[in-house]
Amino acid sequence: MLLIFGLSVFFRTVSEGTFHCPRCGGDRAYRRRVGRRWFTLFFLPVIPFNQVGEVVECRTCRTRFDIAVLQSPTARQMAAALPAGMRAAAALVLRAGGAAAPAARARAAEAVHGYGGTGYDDAAVEHDLRLGEPFLEEEIAAAGAQLAPEAKEWFLAQAVRVGLADGPLGEAERQTLHRVAHLLGMSPAHALGVIVTTEGAAR
């Protein structure tokens, strides 16, 4: 009898989810798969050997990628990160001065609405003012990771306008705005330029 044997790699799915597929250019379902080399007899896996790595497979185009691709945010995550980041930035600026000023609160709501945050009202502002600083800083950093340099400038300018809504910036507000800029990934000089320019335009 003729025996047919050899070595083959078989993959099994260990998790599923949604990711941004570089080939499709959009959010797609994926399978995270682990490969293992097997000794085969008559093309059937009989004896398992070593693992040969993990891949992420797009369920639409079937392309396989390194698992690092899962670190890229999906379009849905990006859409959620921007209003959340602006909410956090506005809360920090309001805390630094003007938290009770109706004009500053209204400007904060306007800034969040500009990033697609719906239903953001005075009650939501009050809620955000009670959140811990580490959480707020994480939200700003997450938003900054999605933004191009020019978009970071616009984001910071919106936060500056929140501070200016009730009058000139105080020292605490300036320090907070520089902290927001740092979380966005901007240099001190870059941040200063945006802050000064936005102040000048508001006069």
Side-chain angles (χ1 to χ4, degrees):
M1 184 175 73
L2 179 65
L3 292 177
I4 301 177
F5 60 89
L7 293 174
S8 296
V9 175
F10 293 87
F11 286 86
R12 65 183 179 88
T13 300
V14 294
S15 65
E16 297 184 355
T18 302
F19 81 133
H20 179 81
C21 176
R23 180 163 186 176
C24 295
D27 292 355
R28 299 289 186 269
Y30 74 84
R31 296 187 298 177
R32 184 169 179 169
R33 313 194 76 196
V34 175
R36 181 180 290 275
R37 187 172 285 108
W38 288 74
F39 173 81
T40 60
L41 184 63
F42 294 109
F43 306 107
L44 297 175
V46 177
I47 303 173
F49 291 115
N50 59 307
Q51 287 190 2
V52 294
E54 293 184 51
V55 297
V56 173
E57 181 182 276
C58 177
R59 302 201 70 162
T60 301
C61 67
R62 303 298 181 185
T63 304
R64 290 176 176 173
F65 305 94
D66 186 89
I67 60 172
V69 75
L70 296 180
Q71 296 176 4
S72 299
T74 64
R76 178 174 294 182
Q77 289 170 332
M78 290 178 63
L82 296 181
M86 180 50 67
R87 286 182 65 157
L92 289 179
V93 173
L94 288 173
R95 280 182 185 174
R105 285 174 172 249
R107 186 66 189 85
E110 183 181 338
V112 173
H113 293 158
Y115 279 96
T118 58
Y120 190 70
D121 54 17
D122 198 65
V125 172
E126 192 63 38
H127 170 270
D128 289 352
L129 288 172
R130 294 194 296 268
L131 295 173
E133 286 197 8
F135 173 79
L136 296 175
E137 291 177 347
E138 286 179 8
E139 294 289 275
I140 296 169
Q146 323 290 339
L147 298 172
E150 297 80 5
K152 292 179 182 181
E153 293 178 358
W154 179 254
F155 187 103
L156 179 59
Q158 297 308 304
V160 174
R161 292 185 180 103
V162 172
L164 291 170
D166 64 335
L169 296 176
E171 185 57 31
E173 289 173 316
R174 289 184 186 281
Q175 291 179 5
T176 298
L177 288 166
H178 276 282
R179 180 151 54 108
V180 169
H182 174 73
L183 293 166
L184 291 173
M186 300 172 66
S187 70
H190 193 182
L192 180 61
V194 172
I195 293 170
V196 170
T197 301
T198 308
E199 283 184 292
R203 294 193 184 103

